[in-house]
Amino acid sequence: MTRTQAFTERSSRSETLVSVRGVDKQYGNGTVAISGIDLEVKTGEFVSLVGPSGCGKSTLLRIIAGLGEATTGEVLVDGAAPGDAQTRGQSSFVFQEATLLPWRPVRQNVELPLELMNVPRIQWAERVGEALHMVGLSNFAGAYPRELSGGMKMRVSIARALVTKPRLLLMDEPFGALDEITRQRLNDDLMRVKEITGATVIFVTHNVFEAVFLSSRIVVMSVRPGRILEQIAVDTPYPRSSDYRTSAAFTKDAGVVMKLLAHTH
Amino acid sequence: MTESTPKPVTIAVPRELKAPAWLERFFPPLASFVLFIAVWQGIILAAQLKPYVLPGPLAVIGAVVDNRSSLGESALFTFQASFVAFLVVMVLGTVIAFVLASSKFIEKAFYPYAVMLQSTPVIAIAPIIIIWFGFGFTSIVTISVIIAIFAVVANTTQGLISVENNLQNLFKLYGATKPQTLLKLRLPFALPFMVTGWRIAAAQVVIGVIVGEYMAGAGGGGMGGLGLIIAETSARLQTAYLFAAALCAALLGIGFFLVVNLFGHLLLKNWHESAIQFEN
Ligand SMILES: Nc1ncnc2c1ncn2[C@@H]1O[C@H](COP(=O)(O)OP(=O)(O)OP(=O)(O)O)[C@@H](O)[C@H]1O
Ligand SMILES: [Mg+2]
């Protein structure tokens, strides 16, 4: 890379939120999970990662979150290394399971990030209220996780991710364990949340329809070691209503992604 | 909390159809108890057993009444030793568990020895302890601690190291400090495991004290505890008195366990699923 290139890229970082360059990841046991990953995500994009099981989607997401280290290559989130103290709280992670603390009621579960980041206590109530309102759980602030359904737990998990007002939302198959109806409802809600917050989202899923419904771009990965095979732009503008699911454009894009996925095996 | 809770709706059930809850709960164990006493007495009558082989239930109760003051003093001593041993087990066991759980290396280096210590019979260790601390309270408590501490160490360590990976990731993501992770994640996560350890230890601590008294008990006026009474009466074939002491020991053990059990239950109440009856 020449100097001029590096300069132009850094000056355009207001546009680029996440930049992944030449990232490989080899685990301690020798497994090469991903190899040669280059990915740029711009502010406001909704990027889905799809690919066969074990191709390194979670690995890539964890590296972008700063939870894991790349073996080679470079990752920048808003121009800084992920997990940097100065950018802490700019990224949130939603796991496949709700990962709530069972001994805390909903409100205190959502408060957790504020607590850990030493946000002044007077702001908590308002922030938690906003986050719970966004996921439609205002009436359940006092409930314990065991009193909630799977979908509601996932909403709490999303509220917890939103409470820090992150610029980047990383979601690893958040709706994988839910039934189809609940999944679609949560997809609709996520769409709304994205409109309100303007967050940039990187979203891992196995479900092609979900990917097409939510994404502005779909990244298809190959079998292990995971590489990026193809990137598909989904052009239908936001906000997308549930009618979009039955449109011709939707069916066409889903077909394209499915065909690509079939070739990965 | 401002919302008002709705009044519970009570449904009238005809009186004669429903047995009182206490009866439903206590009748089965009571019935088996009566049956047990009857079989006990029956065997003695049928087999013509000598009282020093197997005294009857009435003889045992008689022995309790006859020796009530020395049994009382001894039981108090046993209780005190158990209480002290339990406190030592809780504090020391928890500290050891935290050290073990603080690093994989330390755990690998020391855990096998903890298991080894646990597997060594007390009979083999007790003489050494008596050489070091002499007969009496200190040796008794030490023996009890050695018997009971493993339950707390093992369960607490298990709880501390089995915190879900992604919960740890969550804390890492928001830059949680070590003390924050300990207090807000690992400790509450480990609590049900710890309570399990306490329950087991509560039962074992009393057993340990009785064993300790049996081997290291000394002094009159109840200063040897129930274990010493058991040792002495068995030597003199005072079998009814021996049974009376064993009965007291059993009751003390059960009482101790129940108190710790209740404490654990209160601690976990509204906190952890394990303490709450699952509602379908
Ligand atoms: N901590 C680890 N240590 C060693 N190998 C790992 C570790 N985590 C993941 N792997 C391996 O790396 C590869 C990629 O795993 P990863 O979880 O990233 O895949 P994935 O695409 O998220 O799969 P899925 O769709 O099933 O969730 C797999 O082969 C997995 O076995
Ligand atoms: Mg995964």
Side-chain angles (χ1 to χ4, degrees):
Chain A
M1 187 195 300
T2 65
R3 260 189 207 153
T4 12
Q5 265 177 320
F7 178 74
T8 39
E9 265 153 17
R10 201 172 304 151
S11 61
S12 67
R13 85 173 177 224
S14 61
E15 268 283 319
T16 302
L17 184 60
V18 180
S19 126
V20 178
R21 308 248 177 93
V23 164
D24 299 346
K25 172 71 181 188
Q26 180 167 26
Y27 281 107
N29 63 4
T31 308
V32 180
I34 50 177
S35 167
I37 299 284
D38 290 298
L39 182 67
E40 298 265 315
V41 178
K42 294 197 174 11
T43 301
E45 272 195 290
F46 194 121
V47 174
S48 284
L49 304 176
V50 299
S53 182
C55 75
K57 304 180 293 290
S58 300
T59 302
L60 179 57
L61 215 57
R62 279 200 298 269
I63 291 172
I64 295 173
L67 292 172
E69 297 257 317
T71 313
T72 51
E74 182 191 44
V75 177
L76 293 177
V77 176
D78 201 19
D84 238 36
Q86 74 196 71
T87 53
R88 184 157 293 144
Q90 295 211 0
S91 311
S92 279
F93 205 110
V94 179
F95 303 94
Q96 176 161 9
E97 299 81 32
T99 57
L100 304 177
L101 304 178
W103 55 89
R104 286 184 174 215
V106 168
R107 179 186 293 109
Q108 289 179 22
N109 262 292
V110 178
E111 271 170 11
L112 183 73
L114 305 176
E115 227 172 294
L116 296 179
M117 290 178 53
N118 301 317
V119 173
R121 199 177 266 268
I122 37 165
Q123 297 179 22
W124 291 8
E126 192 191 332
R127 294 256 211 129
V128 170
E130 269 173 31
L132 283 177
H133 180 73
M134 257 188 283
V135 298
L137 280 184
S138 300
N139 292 330
F140 290 87
Y144 278 87
R146 62 171 178 276
E147 297 164 336
L148 305 178
S149 70
M152 287 158 92
K153 280 185 209 163
M154 212 18 134
R155 287 170 195 269
V156 178
S157 189
I158 292 171
R160 181 181 63 193
L162 294 174
V163 80
T164 53
K165 308 196 171 171
R167 296 188 60 191
L168 179 63
L169 197 53
L170 302 164
M171 307 180 89
D172 191 358
E173 294 187 49
F175 310 137
L178 304 177
D179 63 276
E180 193 53 34
I181 296 171
T182 311
R183 179 203 283 265
Q184 287 189 10
R185 200 166 290 158
L186 278 159
N187 283 173
D188 292 340
D189 289 350
L190 181 58
M191 200 87 284
R192 217 188 53 240
V193 164
K194 193 199 144 25
E195 284 308 308
I196 298 171
T197 63
T200 308
V201 186
I202 306 181
F203 188 94
V204 172
T205 179
H206 277 126
N207 187 310
V208 173
F209 301 107
E210 182 173 68
V212 173
F213 179 72
L214 293 170
S215 318
S216 56
R217 177 153 56 110
I218 298 172
V219 174
V220 182
M221 291 175 68
S222 71
V223 287
R224 205 182 72 218
R227 298 165 190 278
I228 294 179
L229 277 186
E230 193 100 29
Q231 307 202 25
I232 300 137
V234 181
D235 295 325
T236 308
Y238 295 104
R240 296 169 181 170
S241 70
S242 28
D243 294 339
Y244 169 52
R245 285 199 185 87
T246 48
S247 71
F250 181 87
T251 319
K252 190 186 123 265
D253 282 334
V256 170
V257 178
M258 266 193 271
K259 210 165 276 166
L260 275 170
L261 271 177
H263 286 303
T264 64
H265 290 282
Chain B
M1 226 51 57
T2 48
E3 59 255 63
S4 64
T5 42
K7 285 241 162 65
V9 182
T10 38
I11 300 163
V13 174
R15 264 265 157 94
E16 62 275 31
L17 285 185
K18 206 165 175 320
W22 64 266
L23 191 64
E24 236 169 75
R25 171 131 187 229
F26 291 110
F27 182 73
L30 205 68
S32 63
F33 180 73
V34 170
L35 185 71
F36 171 73
I37 299 288
V39 170
W40 181 2
Q41 186 69 57
I43 288 173
I44 289 168
L45 292 177
Q48 302 279 311
L49 291 176
K50 297 272 188 314
Y52 65 83
V53 177
L54 180 61
L58 283 176
V60 172
I61 290 169
V64 172
V65 174
D66 291 347
N67 302 287
R68 59 184 175 278
S69 81
S70 99
L71 276 175
E73 277 173 355
S74 299
L76 183 65
F77 179 88
T78 301
F79 170 76
Q80 284 166 343
S82 302
F83 189 74
V84 172
F86 187 69
L87 287 185
V88 174
V89 162
M90 293 262 282
V91 173
L92 199 62
T94 308
V95 169
I96 292 173
F98 272 90
V99 173
L100 286 177
S102 67
S103 105
K104 260 256 130 36
F105 179 81
I106 296 179
E107 193 205 331
K108 279 192 186 134
F110 291 104
Y111 199 74
Y113 298 107
V115 177
M116 229 159 88
L117 186 65
Q118 158 74 8
S119 319
T120 313
V122 217
I123 293 283
I125 308 175
I128 307 168
I129 289 164
I130 295 170
I131 290 173
W132 288 345
F133 301 116
F135 286 88
F137 195 79
T138 313
S139 286
I140 292 167
V141 169
T142 307
I143 290 170
S144 170
V145 167
I146 288 174
I147 288 180
I149 199 167
F150 188 74
V152 170
V153 171
N155 282 284
T156 307
T157 308
Q158 189 61 42
L160 288 171
I161 63 178
S162 54
V163 179
E164 225 177 288
N165 252 330
N166 278 339
L167 281 176
Q168 296 192 27
N169 276 337
L170 185 75
F171 274 65
K172 189 176 165 193
L173 189 72
Y174 294 114
T177 60
K178 273 214 152 156
Q180 277 180 325
T181 310
L182 183 68
L183 283 177
K184 291 171 197 251
L185 179 62
R186 300 183 75 195
L187 205 57
F189 191 91
L191 199 67
F193 293 81
M194 292 166 80
V195 168
T196 303
W198 301 347
R199 281 187 186 131
I200 300 170
Q204 288 186 340
V205 123
V206 179
I207 296 172
V209 165
I210 304 277
V211 171
E213 288 167 345
Y214 191 90
M215 291 189 291
M223 295 308 283
L226 293 168
L228 188 63
I229 293 186
I230 291 170
E232 288 171 354
T233 51
S234 71
R236 295 189 207 123
L237 285 185
Q238 295 171 318
T239 317
Y241 191 7
L242 170 61
F243 268 65
L247 181 69
C248 290
L251 291 177
L252 188 67
I254 293 167
F256 209 85
F257 175 80
L258 286 181
V259 169
V260 172
N261 206 17
L262 182 71
F263 175 71
H265 195 81
L266 290 178
L267 206 58
L268 292 180
K269 200 177 161 199
N270 253 334
W271 233 36
H272 259 289
E273 293 179 56
S274 66
I276 290 149
Q277 279 195 340
F278 190 76
E279 220 177 300
N280 274 308

